[in-house]
Amino acid sequence: MLVKLKTILIIEDEQTLLSALVDKFTREGFAVITRKNGKTGLKAALDRHPDLIILDLIMPIMDGNTMLANLKKDSWGKKSKVIILTNLSEEGKRKPLILGVQDYLVKSDIEISDVVKKVKKELGMKV
Amino acid sequence: MSKNNINIFGSYIVALLGVGIGFFLRVLVVYLTGDDLATYITFYPVVMIVAVLWGLAPGILATIASSIIVNYWFYSPINGIAINNRLKIIEAAMFIASGILVNLVFEIYRRRNKKQTKELYENNTYNRAIIESSIEAFVTLSLEGKIIDANKAAVKITGIPKGELIGTDLSSHFVESQKADEAYKKVFAKGHISDYELTIWHKSGKSRDIIYSAQTYKGVDGNFLGILVTMQDVTEQKNMVKKLKKSQENLEKKVHDRTMDLENVGRASRNVLEDLSDEKAKDEAILESIGNGLVVTDIYGRITLINKVFEELLGWKETEARGKLLTDLIGDMLDEKETFIPVQDRPINKVLKERKKLADPISGFYKRQDGTLFPVQIMESPIFSRDTFIGVVEIFTDVTKEKAIDKAKTEFVSLASHQLRTPLSAINWYTEMLLEGDMGKLTQKQKEYLSEVSLGNKRMVELVNALLNTSRLELGTLTIDPKLTDIKEVIRSVINEHKVDIITKKIKLSVLFEKNIPLIFADHKLLNMIVENILSNALKYTDAGGEVEVSLSLSDSENLLLKISDTGYGIPKNQQSSIFTKLFRADNVREKDTTGTGLGLYIVKAILDKAKGKIWFTSKENKGSTFFVTMPIKGMKSMEGKKRLE
């Protein structure tokens, strides 16, 4: 029986955090795509149309805000689901584009299992 | 009348006496000469004398008496009665006729003479009356200067009776006798003088001021007869003039005094002005030495004064700036977000319009002459002179350095926020995955140790968060984002997060919510922070088995009251005043618990200050504390962080 795995795109420049996330989400049964900056992340998103994007804000080359802005210009991107996962606690939270994202999570304040729960909830999966 | 009659009667007797004398003389002549010729001739002189001296009637009487005596005495004895002698009758008739004629001639003459005398007399008395009634003193002087005549006014002026006056030297009556002599001589030389001012002595010893005028008078033959002097008593006028003069002098003195006063005032004002100019110099020195740009405008916003720093900061010279609108000179002003401020919204125009001092300094950017921008902080006040609005003063500071420091701080906070939390996140997540057995089952000891790692890491995260919040509050980057919030829900969720602690410490927790607590506009996260801090303190600083009570009520029509009380350690009285100070921890809790940051209540207080709420407490050591928080029902004031951390 073929089960279509939910695909998530994680855009995160910190390798340790990325590894933990990949590890966790893979074991939770997701198909995981990773990119390390906004630019490659944007390309991957538009190419692969993941079910959900976990997006860091502070990254080299292209930051999360810019990536988000470009993503929302795309017809598919407009409807895409994005959860911000960052260590910027609140300062970036009120930007209009970010107000339109599904969630805004602060890495140091959230347990990794809770990240998974939030994602699953967003995708209508059984938690 | 009777006197005149007696005189007339007397004159007849005298006439008859005269005739008698003539008779004796004739008798004597006849006796001596024996000649009786021209008898009547002897009587002619008698008739004439009587006629001249006593008038017509006695003259005629004398004539008739003479002719009778001649006829009956001298002619009768010789020739009998003259009737018989025609010659003698003619002789007698001729005598009588000639006597009457002589008498008539004399009478006519006398009458004419009498008329003239009367006229003269009347004239004289008339003139005299004028002279006497004149208020001017008249004195007639002889050629020697002696007084011949004087009128009543002259008597009055000198106080000397007329009789004593006459014959005296007029000059001797004057105070300035020499001057009077000169006047007298001048009259002779010129014939008259007038308005000669002299002072005359009065008998009483006082003197009177007179105006002396004089005129010579001549006889029919043109010879000088004397001098007529008029003296006008001008003492009163003089006194009046003196008084006038005195009052004028007084007036002048007063004017002078006033002038002096004015001069003094003038001098004083000059001194004041000098002081003022000293003050001005001082002010200018102050203006020049302050490190801020300064500009003063009139009521239309036209520049009247700028200082050196203004010139240096903006690149405009005072000569270029003066008279221009400030908003024209500094053509562009940007706000903090670097967007253009429309001219009407520029701070200067606000102050010009509202005539009120800016409540807070305004930050923004000014454009220099060369077009470059620099960050400024502006303060402005209207200037009033005796309640009249006369302009605006603006002081601005170049905050480039402050901005740079702020930026550095902000960047540090950003670094702390991001860079510190990233490894903490990694530790968190990995220990979490290990603890959850994702990588295989752990031994009890391994679990225990990893839990310690996780706990230590969580404390680290809390500390970093507290520090970040402190920095945000201090840098003004705190954002208040009020949304309709159910406070009860926030409180419940905070309690929920502490469920484990409450259960393990066997804390007896009671929660009381008053009915009808409205939803309020509040920043969920900040509200959470407030409740979390106070409640966690209550739980942390209360021994196991203690009581904690949370209640929410309407304190009044405008505020909500949150009350969190415990039966814990309390705050030592001598340290209660420091409880909201940054990094402060009371001695008693420091001994018992080493994990506190000393930032919690400081942050709560700072948030409430900004959100228009209040916090206070009552506490007794070893009895417990009660914290009270009020928040306005109308909600927290929205506030956007001044700077963003990105």
Side-chain angles (χ1 to χ4, degrees):
Chain A
M1 191 171 79
L2 278 173
V3 178
K4 173 104 171 63
L5 293 181
K6 293 282 183 189
T7 308
I8 59 164
L9 168 63
I10 303 174
I11 308 169
E12 168 65 67
D13 63 326
E14 282 290 335
Q15 186 56 51
T16 41
L17 296 183
L18 184 60
S19 300
L21 288 167
V22 171
D23 208 14
K24 188 75 183 175
F25 275 97
T26 311
R27 264 184 287 114
E28 291 289 339
F30 289 89
V32 182
I33 309 160
T34 63
R35 291 292 185 275
K36 287 200 166 186
N37 67 61
K39 197 178 171 186
T40 52
L42 179 65
K43 190 171 183 296
L46 296 178
D47 288 349
R48 310 278 289 271
H49 291 185
D51 296 298
L52 190 138
I53 301 164
I54 292 176
L55 179 64
D56 191 12
L57 286 179
I58 297 177
M59 289 180 294
I61 304 171
M62 184 190 279
D63 66 22
N65 276 317
T66 317
M67 185 270 170
L68 194 60
N70 286 310
L71 179 70
K72 293 293 174 185
K73 283 177 196 163
D74 182 73
S75 55
W76 172 83
K78 237 179 256 176
K79 295 175 283 175
S80 64
K81 290 181 175 173
V82 178
I83 287 178
I84 304 286
L85 183 62
T86 178
N87 260 329
L88 275 184
S89 42
E90 70 169 61
E91 286 78 5
K93 209 175 171 181
R94 292 180 76 196
K95 291 228 168 172
L97 277 172
I98 287 168
L99 288 174
V101 301
Q102 270 57 41
D103 217 331
Y104 187 103
L105 307 173
V106 176
K107 293 172 190 170
S108 61
D109 293 347
I110 194 164
E111 295 187 351
I112 199 161
S113 51
D114 286 335
V115 180
V116 175
K117 279 180 198 166
K118 296 263 182 193
V119 171
K120 281 185 173 172
K121 200 179 158 194
E122 261 332 302
L123 294 175
M125 294 160 73
K126 199 184 160 200
V127 179
Chain B
M1 267 298 209
S2 62
K3 196 184 170 185
N4 278 349
N5 288 342
I6 290 166
N7 280 350
I8 289 164
F9 183 68
S11 63
Y12 290 120
I13 292 178
V14 171
L16 292 177
L17 277 174
V19 172
I21 291 165
F23 168 73
F24 281 114
L25 278 174
R26 181 62 200 174
V27 171
L28 193 62
V29 166
V30 170
Y31 172 73
L32 290 173
T33 61
D35 189 1
D36 61 349
L37 282 171
T39 308
Y40 280 107
I41 292 171
T42 315
F43 287 91
Y44 269 116
V46 173
V47 170
M48 285 172 81
I49 287 166
V50 171
V52 168
L53 291 178
W54 287 282
L56 182 65
I60 288 170
L61 181 67
T63 306
I64 292 164
S66 298
S67 63
I68 291 168
I69 288 170
V70 170
N71 266 312
Y72 286 90
W73 185 266
F74 295 106
Y75 290 160
S76 307
I78 308 155
N79 303 314
I81 292 173
I83 306 162
N84 302 323
N85 190 326
R86 275 176 63 196
L87 194 66
K88 293 293 179 206
I89 288 170
I90 292 166
E91 203 179 354
M94 280 180 69
F95 175 74
I96 289 167
S98 64
I100 287 168
L101 188 70
V102 166
N103 266 297
L104 280 171
V105 168
F106 275 111
E107 184 59 25
I108 288 163
Y109 174 77
R110 193 188 293 122
R111 285 202 175 184
R112 188 188 287 168
N113 202 30
K114 198 179 176 185
K115 195 185 170 194
Q116 278 183 347
T117 308
K118 192 190 168 201
E119 279 176 2
L120 196 65
Y121 175 80
E122 281 172 357
N123 264 339
N124 239 342
T125 49
Y126 175 72
N127 287 341
R128 195 73 211 176
I130 291 174
I131 287 167
E132 290 301 335
S133 63
S134 168
I135 52 162
E136 287 193 13
F138 287 108
V139 177
T140 316
L141 300 183
S142 67
L143 294 176
E144 292 77 31
K146 304 280 185 219
I147 295 170
I148 306 169
D149 195 3
N151 69 348
K152 278 178 188 160
V155 170
K156 195 183 168 197
I157 212 170
T158 54
I160 301 169
K162 189 175 175 180
E164 288 177 34
L165 259 183
I166 290 172
T168 57
D169 192 336
L170 179 63
S171 302
S172 67
H173 293 281
F174 290 106
V175 177
E176 315 93 334
S177 51
Q178 213 174 339
K179 198 178 170 191
D181 271 339
E182 281 168 23
Y184 181 70
K185 282 170 192 160
K186 255 189 195 166
V187 181
F188 276 108
K190 288 174 70 183
H192 63 90
I193 61 163
S194 57
D195 300 339
Y196 214 81
E197 284 184 26
L198 286 168
T199 317
I200 197 163
W201 285 117
H202 187 270
K203 196 183 172 186
S204 65
K206 289 176 183 170
S207 64
R208 298 192 75 82
D209 298 306
I210 55 127
I211 288 179
Y212 179 107
S213 297
Q215 172 90 41
T216 52
Y217 69 96
K218 295 174 183 174
V220 187
D221 53 2
N223 287 331
F224 285 119
L225 292 179
I227 293 172
L228 180 66
V229 177
T230 62
M231 293 177 288
Q232 192 183 348
D233 186 348
V234 291
T235 312
E236 299 308 320
Q237 283 108 302
K238 277 236 171 168
N239 282 343
M240 221 181 286
V241 169
K242 268 182 198 164
K243 274 184 193 166
L244 274 174
K245 218 169 176 184
K246 208 170 175 186
S247 70
Q248 198 180 338
E249 275 169 9
N250 277 339
L251 200 67
E252 277 172 3
K253 191 173 180 293
K254 274 180 188 166
V255 169
H256 180 255
D257 288 351
R258 290 283 182 282
T259 313
M260 288 301 283
D261 285 353
L262 278 176
E263 270 178 20
N264 287 338
V265 168
R267 203 170 298 123
S269 353
R270 274 196 297 280
N271 288 340
V272 169
L273 283 175
E274 274 166 24
D275 288 351
L276 276 178
S277 75
D278 284 354
E279 281 297 312
K280 204 180 168 223
K282 221 188 276 173
D283 288 349
E284 276 169 6
I286 292 168
L287 290 183
E288 290 308 327
S289 60
I290 57 170
N292 300 318
L294 178 134
V295 53
V296 179
T297 75
D298 62 12
I299 59 167
Y300 305 105
R302 291 182 302 220
I303 295 166
T304 56
L305 175 79
I306 62 171
N307 72 345
K308 273 260 161 11
V309 181
F310 182 104
E311 291 183 343
E312 285 162 12
L313 288 177
L314 287 156
W316 295 104
K317 291 269 158 257
E318 181 168 15
T319 46
E320 298 167 314
R322 199 185 282 271
K324 282 194 184 131
L325 285 175
L326 180 65
T327 49
D328 281 348
L329 189 77
I330 307 171
D332 290 330
M333 182 184 175
L334 284 68
D335 66 12
E336 278 182 298
K337 289 167 191 161
E338 300 187 26
T339 51
F340 285 99
I341 301 177
V343 172
Q344 68 270 18
D345 294 340
R346 297 261 296 253
I348 176 89
N349 285 332
K350 270 190 175 171
V351 175
L352 283 171
K353 197 176 158 195
E354 291 167 12
R355 298 182 180 182
K356 271 184 201 156
K357 194 180 166 182
L358 288 180
D360 292 304
I362 286 179
S363 298
F365 292 86
Y366 263 173
K367 196 183 236 176
R368 293 192 184 92
Q369 188 190 23
D370 61 12
T372 55
L373 293 170
F374 69 101
V376 284
Q377 195 167 48
I378 298 165
M379 197 59 215
E380 314 206 2
S381 295
I383 311 170
F384 290 98
S385 174
R386 292 174 192 183
D387 297 335
T388 309
F389 175 61
I390 57 165
V392 171
V393 59
E394 171 180 310
I395 290 174
F396 58 90
T397 318
D398 179 357
V399 290
T400 309
K401 272 183 197 162
E402 287 82 349
K403 277 251 166 181
I405 292 167
D406 263 11
K407 201 178 169 217
K409 276 189 192 165
T410 310
E411 278 168 359
F412 169 77
V413 173
S414 175
L415 183 85
S417 171
H418 189 259
Q419 301 299 89
L420 280 177
R421 289 205 287 200
T422 300
L424 294 175
S425 308
I427 297 165
N428 244 359
W429 290 352
Y430 282 104
T431 51
E432 183 201 331
M433 287 193 287
L434 282 173
L435 279 169
E436 287 194 355
D438 288 2
M439 295 300 130
K441 208 170 167 10
L442 300 177
T443 67
Q444 195 54 40
K445 272 286 170 199
Q446 285 168 333
K447 262 193 183 174
E448 218 174 276
Y449 287 4
L450 274 174
S451 294
E452 286 299 328
V453 172
S454 176
L455 205 65
N457 196 57
K458 284 210 166 77
R459 269 179 62 190
M460 192 67 154
V461 171
E462 271 173 34
L463 184 60
V464 169
N465 285 345
L467 283 169
L468 280 174
N469 285 331
T470 306
S471 297
R472 279 190 203 109
L473 285 165
E474 286 173 2
L475 283 172
T477 59
L478 179 86
T479 301
I480 299 178
D481 180 19
K483 288 204 172 75
L484 208 52
T485 306
D486 183 354
I487 290 201
K488 291 178 298 210
E489 205 48 56
V490 173
I491 294 169
R492 277 189 204 109
S493 87
V494 173
I495 291 170
N496 216 37
E497 280 169 32
H498 289 279
K499 223 174 196 168
V500 181
D501 294 336
I502 293 163
I503 292 163
T504 45
K505 280 183 90 174
K506 296 191 172 71
I507 300 282
K508 199 183 154 204
L509 177 79
S510 46
V511 181
L512 296 160
F513 292 149
E514 194 179 299
K515 278 182 185 171
N516 306 322
I517 297 290
L519 300 183
I520 64 166
F521 277 93
D523 185 302
H524 188 279
K525 195 174 166 139
L526 295 179
L527 205 53
N528 195 84
M529 223 184 274
I530 293 164
V531 180
E532 156 67 26
N533 269 297
I534 302 171
L535 185 67
S536 66
N537 278 347
L539 295 172
K540 194 155 53 171
Y541 303 128
T542 301
D543 274 329
E547 289 172 30
V548 172
E549 188 185 296
V550 180
S551 75
L552 184 66
S553 60
L554 283 161
S555 79
D556 52 52
S557 60
E558 287 171 10
N559 293 287
L560 287 180
L561 176 69
L562 170 69
K563 190 171 133 192
I564 299 177
S565 55
D566 61 56
T567 56
Y569 312 142
I571 304 158
K573 199 160 183 83
N574 62 341
Q575 295 187 319
Q576 288 185 357
S577 59
S578 311
I579 204 73
F580 296 114
T581 311
K582 183 164 69 172
L583 299 171
F584 177 83
R585 295 193 72 213
D587 292 337
N588 57 340
V589 298
R590 264 212 306 226
E591 284 168 20
K592 289 172 176 134
D593 182 300
T594 53
T595 63
T597 60
L599 291 170
L601 286 175
Y602 167 76
I603 290 167
V604 169
K605 175 89 163 66
I607 291 168
L608 285 167
D609 282 348
K610 292 213 192 308
K612 309 287 175 207
K614 280 192 188 113
I615 180 166
W616 70 99
F617 65 93
T618 57
S619 184
K620 204 166 180 190
E621 212 173 348
N622 299 319
K623 292 278 179 198
S625 308
T626 305
F627 278 83
F628 304 87
V629 171
T630 60
M631 269 169 296
I633 290 171
K634 65 180 176 186
M636 291 179 172
K637 203 180 157 208
S638 175
M639 195 164 88
E640 202 167 313
K642 282 180 185 169
K643 302 163 200 90
R644 299 206 173 276
L645 301 178
E646 293 188 44

